[in-house]
Every structure is written in structure tokens, then in C-alpha cells.
Amino acid sequence: MIKIGLCTLGCRVNQYETRAMTEYLEAHGAEIGSFDEKCDAYIINTCAVTSESERKSRQMSRRANKLNPDATIIITGCASQLHPELCATLPGVKYVGGNEEKLAAAKAALELTNTPIIEPVMADLSFSGEFENYAVRVPDHTRAYVKIEDGCENKCAYCVINKIRGPIRSKPRTDVVREVRALAELGYKEIVLTGIETCSYQFGLTDLMRELSEIEGIERLRLSSVNPAFINKRFTDTVKDIPKVCPHFHLSLQSCCDKTLAAMRRRYNTRMLKENCAYLRENIPDVCFTADVICGFPGETDGDFEETLKNTKELGLLSAHIFPFSKRPGTEAATMPDQLPENVKQKRCAALSSAVSESQKAIVNGYIEEKKQFKVLFETYKEGYVFGHTENFISVRAKGDEKALNNIFNVILTNLNEGEGDYLANGVII
């Protein structure tokens, strides 16, 4: 029996794809080992959203070769799609694939292990325009991610993903429904629809959400992220009547300054953002927003950042992933003038993080004072406590045992923790 270790770098889509490869390998008789132990073969599903993530992808390949110099190494994903020749020079690499036919990478691991290869096999890295259609039967997490879309056709100035993920293509609705129904039968209660640009799903995203909400056993539906331009009045008027849609939306925000958004080539402005979020708040009780934000984009002045800071405070985010701008070779932003020094970017990240922390406290403390009751899906257990999320994505810790996992309980928030990192609020199961 061949033992194969798999490593995933990057986004939830990559994690979903790696799980699909794992299930393929298991179905074909392979033993799945730890990536940190000696295996016969290793598969690295790479990331290239930043130069650093691409460097880490290559580092994982070298680590695998060090664990077993005789192992077959398979590289697939974004880094190999972008720089296949470079990946092919890494020691032990026998197959270089890209972002289509991920299952072909798993098949290559089975076929090429213990086979003498003079030169690495190079997959066809062109995009067919067809969605690679497979299903994950047993996800890694309590909240089951389901990939419904691949590709991106935006041309954001800072991003290389549109080049390495190809054109938009989507999983047929009937196949999504079949996959989710199977997950419901296994006891999964929350589904997160994910993709590279999830809102670009081609077969009616809100129609899909409505159909999924009718599946018995599914109690919650989320979108992994949303384009702020997508959550318009029409979207809100539709999803407010789908009771299983969670009142939480993760915004692919990037900036809250019109000048910076225009320089980034984003297709919305702050007026649109504020109007869409305000309408959601008016129509969906307790809705919360989280976001991704980049600080220190080329040409961002102190005044531009102050505009982002002001508008972000007005949005009242529950949390945010805040990143300093990082040059990505091959993108427009990498060669823009007025690149900012690292210390300025880090200072702005800290200021924005502090502002989001204050809005987070205000939101959670408001619910504590209100003694509001939430439904929490508990996902992990540690040392006498269970951890999970409310419908609107407040992280909660409560006393409990492992029997609570993958179950939804009514919880009242009691107090807010600060600075502990793993959770936001203590709660009591009632």
C-alpha cells in the first residue's frame, strides 16, 4: 500500500480540493499519512496569492524531499500554474499540475510512485472552460465547505488570481444539491458555499441558496465571501426570505476609500458599500459583517487612509483580516509609483485593527447587555470548553464536553474576552 501525505496552502477552495484528492486516493487503495512523516509520495496543493505564499509552497516541496529523498513529489495548484518550470526543478518532483484536473494530480501520485522518471511529467495547464466536477463526501470541518465556482474575471490591480485560476466556471445546481443532500444525511448542519469568486456563480446563486434551504437536516447556509457590489437591494430582498441563510456576510472589501478602490480596479465605491450594508441591516435582524482589508496600497496618502478608517468605523465590522499591501510580481500594483515603506503599512494595519476591535467590543457587549439568546454550532473542544459560532458569526466559548460537537445549542453571551485570540465571548448553554 502506498502512503501519501498531502499539504494544503492557501484558501478554503484549496482545502476543499485537497480533501477531494484525499478521498480519491483512499478510494483507490492508498494510505493517507501525515505530511510530517516519511511517505512514499507527497502532494502539495500550492498557493500564489502573494510571493511569500509561493515561496512557502516551494519550501513544502523541499521539506517533503528531506523527509524522504526517494519519495515522489506532486505539485499542483496556483504556484505551479504560475511558474511550472520552476516547480519542475525542485528535487523529487515527478509531476507538475495546475488548477484544473486536481484529481489528475492524485492519480499521478498513484501511478508515478516507485516508477523511474527522468523528467517531471508536465500537465496541460491551459483552461478548458469546464468546471472540474467532483464532490467531497466527508469534509474536514464541522461547517462543511462546498465548492460551487472556480475562476475570476476581475482585473484587480494587486491580484494575480484571475491569471492562475482561469475563467469563471460553475458546478451545476443539480450537482450542488446532490452533494449537500448527501452531507445532510451524514449529519452536517451548516453549509458554506465557496469559490474563487463565489458571487459569480453562473446558475443563479440565490436560487441555489433557496433550493439548499429546503434540504432536511441543513440548518444554516453561508457564503464564504461576497463582493460588496453583489449584496444589493435585489439580493437582500431575496435572501431575507430564506430563513436558513445566516445573518453574516464576509465582505471582500480591500479599502474604504474611493480613490484607493479606483486605483485597485475594484468595481464599487463607498456609497454603494454603505447603502448595501445599511439595507441589509434594515431587513435582516442582527446581521454582522466581517471583511478583508489591505492597508498601504501604492499612492495611499494619510488622508486616503483616514477615509478608510472613518468609513470602516461607520460600517461597524465584527472582525477583519487586515493585510499590509504586498507587491505581487506580474500585477499592475507591483510597478505603481509611490510605494509605501513597510513601517507605514504596519502602522496603518495596527490603527485599523484597533478600530475594528472597538466595533467588535461594541457589537458583542450590546448583545451581552441585551441578554440576547443565540444559536451556536459547536465545532471544536478543548480542556472542558466547546467553541463555535453564532448565526451572525460571533465566536463563542462555553463549558461543555465533546458530545456538544456538531450540535446547535441555545446560548446566552455572558462576557467578552479580550486579547486571548481564540474566541470573543463566553456563553452559557441553556
Side-chain angles (χ1 to χ4, degrees):
M1 182 181 289
I2 298 173
K3 182 188 284 188
I4 302 176
L6 296 95
C7 174
T8 310
L9 296 101
C11 65
R12 294 289 189 184
V13 171
N14 267 13
Q15 292 175 29
Y16 177 93
E17 292 167 348
T18 298
R19 183 60 197 165
M21 287 190 282
T22 300
E23 292 184 351
Y24 178 91
L25 293 168
E26 290 174 330
H28 287 78
E31 176 187 353
I32 303 303
S34 167
F35 193 81
D36 295 322
E37 67 177 327
K38 184 176 180 180
C39 294
D40 302 300
Y42 299 91
I43 299 175
I44 300 106
N45 195 5
T46 62
C47 179
V49 69
T50 65
S51 297
E52 176 63 14
S53 59
E54 192 177 356
R55 184 194 68 78
K56 287 182 179 178
S57 296
R58 295 193 296 269
Q59 183 184 53
M60 291 301 103
S61 180
R62 294 189 183 96
R63 180 187 294 181
N65 181 254
K66 188 174 181 181
L67 284 166
N68 182 7
D70 296 322
T72 292
I73 296 176
I74 308 293
I75 300 185
T76 188
C78 291
S80 49
Q81 181 77 41
L82 187 63
H83 292 128
E85 295 83 5
L86 177 58
C87 290
T89 65
L90 295 170
V93 171
K94 289 188 178 180
Y95 177 91
V96 177
N99 273 324
E100 276 203 342
E101 299 189 6
K102 287 288 174 80
L103 295 188
K107 185 179 180 183
L110 296 172
E111 293 178 347
L112 301 180
T113 299
N114 301 322
T115 301
I117 297 289
I118 297 174
E119 299 227 349
V121 175
M122 304 292 286
D124 180 1
L125 300 184
S126 60
F127 291 103
S128 67
E130 298 295 324
F131 186 86
E132 185 181 8
N133 201 346
Y134 45 76
V136 166
R137 294 184 294 277
V138 184
D140 291 326
H141 305 284
T142 304
R143 289 184 290 125
Y145 282 76
V146 174
K147 178 184 171 185
I148 64 169
E149 181 273 345
D150 206 339
C152 179
E153 294 172 8
N154 295 323
K155 293 181 170 37
C156 301
Y158 54 83
C159 189
V160 74
I161 295 301
N162 67 321
K163 298 177 183 177
I164 54 182
R165 275 287 177 174
I168 291 167
R169 53 252 193 240
S170 304
K171 178 177 284 190
R173 267 173 53 189
T174 53
D175 294 330
V176 178
V177 172
R178 184 182 300 112
E179 183 172 353
V180 172
R181 186 172 285 119
L183 293 170
E185 290 172 357
L186 288 174
Y188 288 89
K189 294 178 173 61
E190 181 173 320
I191 302 298
V192 184
L193 303 178
T194 191
I196 299 303
E197 179 69 18
T198 312
C199 292
S200 295
Y201 181 72
Q202 294 163 298
F203 305 119
L205 182 56
T206 54
D207 290 338
L208 172 65
M209 294 165 74
R210 188 181 299 282
E211 191 168 357
L212 296 179
S213 74
E214 296 171 357
I215 296 175
E216 185 177 352
I218 298 302
E219 298 187 37
R220 295 180 169 188
L221 290 172
R222 293 187 198 274
L223 300 176
S224 59
S225 65
V226 294
N227 185 315
F230 184 79
I231 53 169
N232 53 27
K233 183 176 180 181
R234 181 180 177 184
F235 171 83
T236 300
D237 287 343
T238 301
V239 299
K240 71 179 183 180
D241 296 323
I242 307 175
K244 293 180 181 179
V245 174
C246 290
H248 162 250
F249 298 96
H250 184 77
L251 307 174
S252 180
L253 189 61
Q254 313 312 345
S255 177
C256 266
C257 166
D258 285 342
K259 176 190 156 192
T260 304
L261 286 170
M264 288 178 167
R265 307 285 185 259
R266 299 295 284 170
R267 298 177 181 178
Y268 52 86
N269 55 38
T270 55
R271 177 194 58 78
M272 188 185 305
L273 169 69
K274 290 178 181 179
E275 287 179 357
N276 289 349
C277 289
Y279 192 73
L280 271 163
R281 282 196 166 108
E282 290 170 12
N283 287 275
I284 300 178
D286 300 312
V287 68
C288 281
F289 301 102
T290 55
D292 295 322
V293 187
I294 298 170
C295 289
F297 191 77
E300 181 186 71
T301 66
D302 288 342
D304 297 334
F305 176 69
E306 286 301 319
E307 184 179 337
T308 281
L309 193 60
K310 171 180 171 292
N311 288 329
T312 303
K313 288 177 180 178
E314 290 177 7
L315 277 180
L317 298 176
L318 178 65
S319 65
H321 297 142
I322 300 169
F323 309 91
F325 169 76
S326 174
K327 282 186 183 181
R328 189 66 186 88
T331 64
E332 181 184 353
T335 57
M336 283 181 172
D338 301 320
Q339 300 280 334
L340 302 182
E342 288 302 315
N343 66 319
V344 171
K345 290 187 276 188
Q346 293 296 339
K347 184 178 178 181
R348 290 179 182 176
C349 284
L352 190 60
S353 179
S354 178
V356 172
S357 179
E358 288 303 311
S359 68
Q360 183 184 92
K361 291 176 190 176
I363 291 167
V364 178
N365 280 328
Y367 289 130
I368 291 169
E369 292 172 9
E370 189 182 340
K371 294 184 171 53
K372 184 174 178 60
Q373 183 174 299
F374 286 98
K375 292 185 181 297
V376 176
L377 173 65
F378 287 109
E379 304 156 45
T380 57
Y381 169 83
K382 183 180 179 182
E383 299 175 352
Y385 288 91
V386 283
F387 299 79
H389 291 87
T390 64
E391 307 97 306
N392 58 357
F393 215 62
I394 296 171
S395 297
V396 175
R397 178 183 85 160
K399 287 186 177 180
D401 57 32
E402 292 179 90
K403 294 178 183 177
L405 298 182
N406 197 34
N407 286 299
I408 296 175
F409 290 91
N410 292 324
V411 172
I412 290 181
L413 306 185
T414 57
N415 64 292
L416 175 66
N417 286 277
E418 297 181 35
E420 297 193 35
D422 290 334
Y423 49 87
L424 289 175
N426 281 327
V428 175
I429 296 174
I430 56 174

